[in-house]
Amino acid sequence: MRLKRLYIITITALLLAACSTTKLIPDGEQLYTGMKSTEFVGKKEYASTATGKSAIEEVTYALDCAPNGSLLGSSRWRALPIGLWWYNAFRNSESMLGKWLFNTFATDPVLISDVNPELRAEVATEVLKYYGYFNGKATAETITGKKNAKTAKVKYTVTLNEPYMYDSIAYCGFPAPADSIIRATWNRRLVKSGEQFNAALMEEERTRLSKLFRNNGYYYFQPGSITYLADSVNTPGKISMRIQPAANLPKRTLQQWKFGRINIRIPQNSSAGGNRAAESDTLSRRNFSYIFTGKKPPVKIGALLRNIQIRTGQLYSNDKQQEAFKRLSQMNIFSNINFALAPRGESDTLDLNITAQLDKPYDFSFELNATSKSNDQIGPGSKISLAKKNVFRGGEMLKFTLKGSYEWQTDKNVTGRSSVINSWEIGGDVALSFPRLFFPIVHRRYLRVPSTTSLRLHANVMNRSGFFRMVRAGGDATYKIFSHSTTTHTVIPFRLTYDMLLSTTAKFDSIAKSNRSIENSFRDQFIPAMQYTYLYDNTNTYHRNKTSIEVSVTQAGNITSLLFYAFGKGFNTKNKNIFGNPYAQFVKATAEMRQLWKIDRNQYIATRILAGAIHSYGNSEYAPYSEQFYIGGANSLRAFTIRSIGPGSFRPDGKNRYSYLDETGTLKLEMNVEYRFRIIQDLHGAVFVDAGNIWLMKEDPERPGGEIKADTFAKQIALNTGFGIRYDLEFLVLRLDFGLGLHAPYETKRKGYFNLSPFKDGFAWHFAIGYPF
C-alpha cells in the first residue's frame, strides 16, 4: 500500500508540475524554449566556398544552445521536459524522499539570461571575421511566447556580406636556407592569392612552415616564430599579406643545427631484482656511447643502432627524431623512453641523449569470457598467454598461448538429452617475433625499413558433439613491412596447415556421402600456401574522413605442384600426395574498403564493401572448407544468423540440424552502411542497412540455385535494416544490434521483393564488443 501511495503522489506531483513549467521562474526572467531557425542573409556564393561552409558550421556551433527537454541535443526541437517537471514538483520539498527525487532527476531550468543571446551573437560576429567576413554581423532577437510571457525563443540573423580576399602574399625576412626551403615547397602553401581570407588556414600555414623548418635543421623553430602583417586599407575588400619571422627572435631560432653525438643509457631494471649497486659499463664507438648496468648489454648495440636512424652530421630533423622514438617503442621492451637534445658549447651541434627503461621481462595474461553466438550456441571460453620479452637481447619476443572454449546448443527445438549438441575447442600456439626482417638474403639497407618477422607453430582440436572431431595444425612465417605510417605490407612466404578428421559420426558420414563438396572439403589434406596483403589505413591520422583498404591474395599448392612437375608429374595432374595425403591447390583473393565520413563531432556515416573469390584447380576439385566464404552474424548481415544465407538462392532442409554445412561459397559480396550518432554522453545509436550473399563459381547439383548468374544476381542479394545502441567506454565498446530482414534470396511464404516479415521471420539481435566495421 505504501508503494502504491508513493506512486500516486509522485505521478500527481509530476502532472501538476507539467501544467506549468514556469511557476518557479523568477520575476524578470524567461524560460528558454529553443531557437528559431537561424537566418543567413547574403548572396549564396558568399557561403558556397569551402571557407564559407566552415564559417557557417562554426557560427552555428557558437549560437547553438539546447533547451530543457532537448531532442537528441537539438537547439530547435524539444521532447518532454521531464527533468524540468521534477524540478518544479520537488524544488521546495522538505521531505527526504522529495529531496532525493529532486537531486536525482531534476534539471535546472535554462533561462534566457543563461543563454545570453547578445554575447553569443558577438562571438558569432568574431567568428565571421575569422573567416574573412569583416563586414559580417550576427544579431539576436528574443521572441516572447504567445501563450506564456515567461517563455521565450531566440532568433538569430547572420549577415555575411562579401568576404575579403587575399591580394598579394609575400614571404619576407627569412634566412637564405629557410627561404630556399619555402621556394622548394611553393606548391604546397595553404594561403594563396585570390582566395578568401581564412585565419584557420593561416594558422595551418604557420604550422606547416614550422614543421618544414624543424625537419631541415631549425630545431628551435616553433609556429609562434612566424608572424603575419595584413593590410586591408589600400584596396577595399582585398588584403595584402606579409609572412615573416617574429620580431626579436633569439639567434638560435634562425640557425640550422646538426645532430652530434648519440648517447643512450639503459639503467638497471629494479623489477628484475639483482644487485642494485652494480656498476655501469660503457660501450663507445666513434660518435655513439652506450651506457648500461651489468656484465653485458641488456640490448644488443646493433639492435639499437638499427632502430635509431640518426647519424652524426645530419641536419636536425624532427621527423627523424620521432621515427627513432617510434621504432624504439615498437621493440616493445621499454616501459619508458626519453629523448633530450643539448647544444654542444658554441657550435651548431646538438647531442642526443636517450634514456630507456627496460620493461618487465615477462607478460602474463588471462582472459575469461562468455559468448552468445548467432548459431544458437552459448558458452564460456578462456585464453592464457605467457610472453618472454627480449629473448636474444634484440627485442625478440617468445609467446605461448593456450585457449579453449565450450559451447552448448540453446535452440528451443532441442528436445531430449540425446539431441543436445555440446561442442568444445582447445588449441595453442607458440610464436617467436623479431622487430626486423629476419631473412638471410635481405640486404642491410632494407633492414632500415620498420618491419617485423614472426615464426609460429599452432594446433587446434575442434569437437562438434554428434558430428565430428577435427584437428588443424601448422606453421607459418610472416613478414610485416611498415613502408609508411598508413601503409603495411604483409608477406607470408610459407604457411603449411594440415587438416585431419580424427573421428566422425554416422550422421556426418551420411551427409558427406550425399554431398560431394562437403566430403572433399573435409578430407584430410595439407594446405601449403603463400599470401600477400596490402593495407592502407589512415584511422590514426588527422584526416577528417577515415579510409581503410585491405587487399589480400593467397595461393596454395602451386610451388608444391612445380616441385612435382620437376620430378615428371604434370602441373595439373590430380591426386598428388604429400606423406600419403593430398594437398590443396587454389587461389584466393579478397578486398575490403571501409570509409568513415564525419558529419560533425556527434554524427558519422560508416560504409564497408567486401568482395572475395576462391578458385580451386589442379590437385583440388573443391577448396578446403576452412577457406570458403560464409555470411551473416553480428558483423555481417545482422538480420540473419551466421551461415544461414546462400549460396545464391539455395536453402537447405530446415529439419536437418547440420544443414549449415552447405551454406558456404566460393564467391562473396557484402555491403554495409551505418549512420552513427550520439544519444547522450557515452551512449550512441546507429541505424544500418546490410546487403550481400555468397555464391558458387561452379555448379553443384546438391545445391541448386547456388551458382552465380547474371539474370538472378540482383534477386539473390539478401537485404536487411536495423538499429542498435552502443556504450563507449573509450577502451571498449559494448554493442547491441537489432536486425530486421527485408529480403531473403530464397523463396518464402510472402510474395514480392520484401518477402520477410521483419519482426516475425527476419528478426535477430546480437550482443557484441566493438564496432562491426
Side-chain angles (χ1 to χ4, degrees), residues 64-363:
D64 276 352
C65 183
N68 290 101
S70 169
L71 182 62
L72 300 178
S74 171
S75 298
R76 294 182 57 196
W77 307 106
R78 300 176 70 201
L80 298 176
I82 298 175
L84 189 56
W85 294 353
W86 286 101
Y87 179 90
N88 288 328
F90 297 101
R91 175 66 179 84
N92 299 317
S93 177
E94 296 295 333
S95 67
M96 183 178 296
L97 175 61
K99 290 180 178 180
W100 179 83
L101 291 171
F102 178 83
N103 293 329
T104 305
F105 301 107
T107 303
D108 291 344
V110 180
L111 306 176
I112 289 291
S113 60
D114 298 325
V115 177
N116 203 340
E118 290 76 17
L119 179 59
R120 289 179 179 272
E122 290 178 10
V123 172
T125 300
E126 293 302 314
V127 170
L128 291 175
K129 294 179 180 178
Y130 191 78
Y131 287 96
Y133 300 96
F134 291 103
N135 296 322
K137 188 176 182 180
T139 58
E141 178 187 1
T142 301
I143 303 173
T144 300
K146 294 181 180 180
K147 297 181 179 180
N148 189 342
K150 281 200 169 186
T151 64
K153 289 183 177 289
V154 178
K155 170 67 179 295
Y156 294 100
T157 302
V158 180
T159 304
L160 295 177
N161 287 326
E162 187 173 0
Y164 275 60
M165 314 296 285
Y166 292 115
D167 187 9
S168 62
I169 301 174
Y171 293 77
C172 307
F174 292 95
D179 188 70
S180 298
I181 294 169
I182 293 173
R183 301 305 162 189
T185 59
W186 189 250
N187 292 332
R188 302 179 195 172
R189 68 194 191 282
L190 303 177
V191 181
K192 301 177 182 179
S193 299
E195 295 185 351
Q196 183 175 336
F197 178 89
N198 187 336
L201 273 183
M202 289 168 58
E203 290 301 317
E204 290 183 26
E205 174 68 1
R206 185 152 60 176
T207 301
R208 183 190 75 87
L209 288 174
S210 175
K211 183 177 180 181
L212 189 64
F213 293 155
R214 283 176 59 80
N215 285 329
N216 285 274
Y218 294 93
Y219 170 66
Y220 290 100
F221 209 93
Q222 299 294 333
S225 303
I226 297 174
T227 188
Y228 293 100
L229 296 178
D231 182 3
S232 59
V233 177
N234 289 336
T235 306
K238 301 288 185 180
I239 292 178
S240 296
M241 182 71 66
R242 284 170 57 92
I243 303 174
Q244 62 187 41
N248 301 320
L249 287 177
K251 179 182 176 181
R252 65 182 186 179
T253 304
L254 299 178
Q255 174 185 345
Q256 284 184 302
W257 296 80
K258 298 177 181 178
F259 284 115
R261 189 174 185 82
I262 301 172
N263 306 306
I264 183 165
R265 181 176 180 270
I266 301 181
Q268 183 182 17
N269 189 348
S270 60
S271 63
N275 182 13
R276 297 190 179 184
E279 295 183 357
S280 296
D281 200 354
T282 302
L283 290 178
S284 296
R285 293 189 178 179
R286 187 172 55 181
N287 292 298
F288 180 84
S289 294
Y290 179 17
I291 306 167
F292 58 91
T293 304
K295 295 182 179 180
K296 62 181 179 179
V299 183
K300 293 178 180 178
I301 190 171
L304 296 173
L305 290 176
R306 185 167 51 245
N307 287 287
I308 303 173
Q309 297 295 315
I310 295 173
R311 297 297 176 259
T312 299
Q314 291 179 338
L315 280 177
Y316 169 79
S317 169
N318 185 66
D319 281 356
K320 284 186 177 292
Q321 178 183 333
Q322 294 300 321
E323 180 65 19
F325 181 87
K326 177 181 176 182
R327 294 190 63 170
L328 287 176
S329 299
Q330 288 177 341
M331 292 181 72
N332 200 31
I333 61 175
F334 299 114
S335 60
N336 183 55
I337 303 172
N338 181 59
F339 276 55
L341 286 155
R344 185 192 300 171
E346 298 296 326
S347 67
D348 61 352
T349 302
L350 294 167
D351 290 333
L352 175 60
N353 300 306
I354 303 173
T355 302
Q357 180 70 55
L358 283 173
D359 200 357
K360 296 179 180 179
Y362 291 95
D363 266 352

Side-chain angles (χ1 to χ4, degrees), residues 671-693:
M671 297 160 286
N672 313 86
V673 179
E674 186 169 278
Y675 168 57
R676 299 171 181 171
F677 54 90
R678 185 187 301 274
I679 298 175
I680 183 173
Q681 295 183 344
D682 296 328
L683 187 65
H684 301 255
V687 178
F688 55 82
V689 176
D690 305 317
N693 204 343

Side-chain angles (χ1 to χ4, degrees), residues 495-512:
R495 184 179 72 194
L496 181 63
T497 307
Y498 181 58
D499 289 347
M500 181 175 67
L501 280 171
L502 298 177
S503 61
T504 61
T505 64
K507 289 182 180 180
F508 175 78
D509 292 338
S510 64
I511 295 170

Side-chain angles (χ1 to χ4, degrees), residues 14 53 80 94 199 279 441 497 638 660 689 705 726 730:
L14 288 176
K53 293 177 181 178
L80 298 176
E94 296 295 333
E279 295 183 357
I441 64 174
T497 307
R638 282 165 277 185
Y660 70 87
V689 176
R726 292 88 191 272
E730 293 187 358

